[in-house]
Amino acid sequence: MARCFSFTGSADFLYRSFFSYSGLRSVRTDFSDGTTMHCWAPKSHKPSKPNLVLVHGFGANAMWQYGELLHHLMPRFNIYVPDLLFFGDSSTPRPERSEEFQAQCVMRMMAEQSVQRMSLVGISYGGFVGYSIAAQFPNSVEKVVLCCTGVCLEEKDLKSGFFEVSDLNEVADILMPQTPEKLRELMKFAFFRPMKGVPSCFLSDYIDVFCTEHISQKKELIQALTRDRQLSRIPRIQQPSLIIWGEKDRIFPLELGYRLQRHIGDHAKLVVIKNAGHAVNVEKPREFAKHLKQFLIGSESLTPHKPKALFWSTSSTS
């Protein structure tokens, strides 16, 4: 019997309403090559505000990954939250799967929005794309925040035992779970303290909403990240950079954070958040937001009240 109610779908609807209520609008950009990019963009662009692009990773869509941050950042920035290709409402018929191509599509979309200068935040896979944006378009990017992203991994790391899971097919099965058991496994990898006792029906509902589309294309994205990847071939970005890492990250171990800091050099700062795993933005949203604000706009304290916080916000307990 088909489900008549989807908790995940209902939560997604609330996120969409929240993004709209916060001053963002859903924008779709179609390019002549068949590529479509979707983005949440300001309903009213304020020239007096700097621009900030929030780039998501694998998992739930961009709204779920950045919803907790909006009330911290909206007062200070023109916020843009794109869907990367094969996530959300973005897609392409073209065969390219590299983070460089993802970066180029984001920048084509930003050009359509008449945005020429920006800072950016990239989480996990979004960090690969954000780093590539900074490297390819140095005159357009002011500051960079990279969170738990394996930019400096090398193909040989997969064979050396550096990662808990080294087979790319198994990695894809975990990142795009098709069963409640695989989703529980992903939660164990992503969270320092994974939620326990979640009924299988809720996990199946989440899978139906987020993990059933563009599976083959997403596998190709994962394969493209590691293919012939060598540290010596990774460009060094020149922008001031903040690197944020969960101390207990089991997907991209903390050593990759130190490796990334060394690779960028003196203009990179690494912040390690204790008692947090790969999903540090979800487990420690208030601490995560504090470091973002200190880096992007100065050392002022967090806004004490949250008039637009989501009703299921966890930031007050993190």
Side-chain angles (χ1 to χ4, degrees), residues 222-253:
I222 295 171
Q223 293 165 353
L225 287 178
T226 60
R227 187 180 299 118
D228 298 325
R229 196 175 191 92
Q230 297 179 22
L231 188 60
S232 61
R233 297 179 180 177
I234 299 171
R236 299 177 189 271
I237 62 174
Q238 301 302 315
Q239 297 88 346
S241 302
L242 174 65
I243 303 167
I244 302 178
W245 225 274
E247 178 188 31
K248 305 296 184 180
D249 192 335
R250 294 178 60 192
I251 293 180
F252 290 132

Side-chain angles (χ1 to χ4, degrees), residues 1-20:
M1 179 181 295
R3 297 182 182 90
C4 60
F5 175 80
S6 168
F7 177 82
T8 307
S10 299
D12 198 58
F13 172 80
L14 291 174
Y15 267 113
R16 288 181 181 276
S17 300
F18 176 68
F19 268 51
S20 180

Side-chain angles (χ1 to χ4, degrees), residues 50-53 103 106-108 110-111 114-120 130 132-144 239:
N51 303 307
L52 181 64
V53 181
V106 171
M107 292 303 287
R108 289 168 70 190
M110 295 303 293
S114 299
V115 175
Q116 297 180 342
R117 295 280 292 172
M118 69 204 75
S119 293
L120 57 86
S132 185
I133 292 173
Q136 292 187 73
F137 306 93
N139 295 329
S140 297
V141 178
E142 297 173 339
K143 293 182 178 181
V144 181
Q239 297 88 346

Side-chain angles (χ1 to χ4, degrees), residues 25-39:
R25 61 190 177 95
S26 176
V27 178
R28 171 175 166 151
T29 305
D30 296 314
F31 300 116
S32 59
D33 61 1
T35 299
T36 296
M37 291 293 293
H38 173 265
C39 181

Side-chain angles (χ1 to χ4, degrees), residues 64-65 68 191 279-285 288 314-315 318:
W64 289 54
Q65 294 184 35
E68 289 279 358
F191 294 93
V280 62
N281 57 306
V282 177
E283 287 193 290
K284 298 288 184 177
F288 184 72
T314 59
S315 58
S318 297

